[in-house]
Amino acid sequence: YDRIETLTYLFISSYNCIGTCLRRNKSYREALEYYNRADALSLKVPIDKYAMYQGYRNVASINIALTHKLSNEISQAWEQYK
C-alpha cells in the first residue's frame, strides 16, 4: 500500500474510534460528525477483495445507524441500514 492509502485507513479508524467515544458519552450529534467523516473517506478507498479493509465501508455505516437509533431517529437508522 502506498503512504496515502495507509494514512486514509488510519484516519478512517481514528474517526470511528472518536465517534464511538462520543457516542458512549451520549454526544450523538458529535459522534455522527466523526462517523460521517469516516464514511466519506471509506468511499475513497479502493476495494480489494482479498483485504479486510473493505470492512471499513461497513463499520462507519453501522455506527451511523446505531447512533441514529440511540437518538430515537428510527427512520434515519433504518435508511442507513438499507
Side-chain angles (χ1 to χ4, degrees):
Y1 297 99
D2 66 15
R3 189 174 194 283
I4 293 175
E5 257 184 67
T6 302
L7 287 173
T8 302
Y9 294 134
L10 287 173
F11 274 107
I12 293 168
S13 183
S14 297
Y15 287 149
N16 274 311
C17 288
I18 293 168
T20 299
C21 290
L22 290 164
R23 186 186 75 219
R24 291 186 69 161
N25 286 320
K26 299 183 180 182
S27 298
Y28 300 130
R29 289 289 129 219
E30 292 175 76
L32 284 170
E33 289 176 28
Y34 281 94
Y35 291 144
N36 283 318
R37 290 179 190 179
D39 194 45
L41 273 180
S42 70
L43 297 175
K44 296 180 180 183
V45 176
I47 295 175
D48 179 353
K49 66 181 179 178
Y50 300 108
M52 292 180 58
Y53 296 118
Q54 185 168 346
Y56 283 121
R57 292 177 189 249
N58 296 328
V59 171
S61 182
I62 290 168
N63 283 332
I64 291 168
L66 174 60
T67 304
H68 280 304
K69 180 181 176 271
L70 292 171
S71 300
N72 290 320
E73 299 169 344
I74 304 304
S75 61
Q76 288 173 303
W78 181 247
E79 284 302 312
Q80 189 69 37
Y81 274 126
K82 286 183 183 180

